[in-house]
Amino acid sequence: MSTTEETLKPNIVLISASDLENEIKQLEDKIKQINDNNNIEFEKIKSELDKLHTITGWLNIAKSQGIWKSKTCRYVNNDSCSAWSISEPEKLGIPQDAIFVTENGSKKVVVAKFPELCITCPLYEPKKI
């Protein structure tokens, strides 16, 4: 018999119905376990996303406060804060494009580009009308 004939021979394995039922049951159990694990992971991820959504909401509220304060503060002149001089803006996370260097070399924050500085500013005073 040639090799081709040998590979074409049918391989028949007899399996009892109870063996098939057991294998199917095992596969069902594995699938259920995978689904349960996926559901647990999904709930964990959903919980983390919900937390991030809440934090983002609070950050948006804080940013809107900073924008409002930057537009109404008496220390804001030409969109820059005259009350603060920031020596190392990069350490505070202030972007370089939000820094204005004055004639005397002090660094001021352009609050129109970075209103976050105004959020908790203790020097805030409303403009006098």
Side-chain angles (χ1 to χ4, degrees), residues 63-80:
K63 187 169 183 175
S64 70
Q65 276 291 308
I67 291 169
W68 174 80
K69 287 173 88 175
S70 72
K71 292 181 185 284
T72 61
C73 183
R74 71 178 280 196
Y75 296 111
V76 175
N77 301 314
N78 297 324
D79 292 331
S80 295

Side-chain angles (χ1 to χ4, degrees), residues 8-49:
L8 294 177
K9 283 172 112 179
N11 289 333
I12 299 174
V13 178
L14 295 177
I15 299 177
S16 70
S18 60
D19 287 345
L20 283 174
E21 285 177 12
N22 285 338
E23 283 187 44
I24 290 171
K25 177 71 175 132
Q26 288 174 355
L27 289 172
E28 286 173 343
D29 290 344
K30 284 181 183 179
I31 290 171
K32 185 181 179 323
Q33 184 180 10
I34 290 169
N35 282 337
D36 291 346
N37 289 342
N38 285 345
N39 288 339
I40 291 168
E41 286 301 312
F42 173 78
E43 289 301 320
K44 286 180 186 177
I45 292 169
K46 184 181 178 305
S47 174
E48 292 300 314
L49 285 174

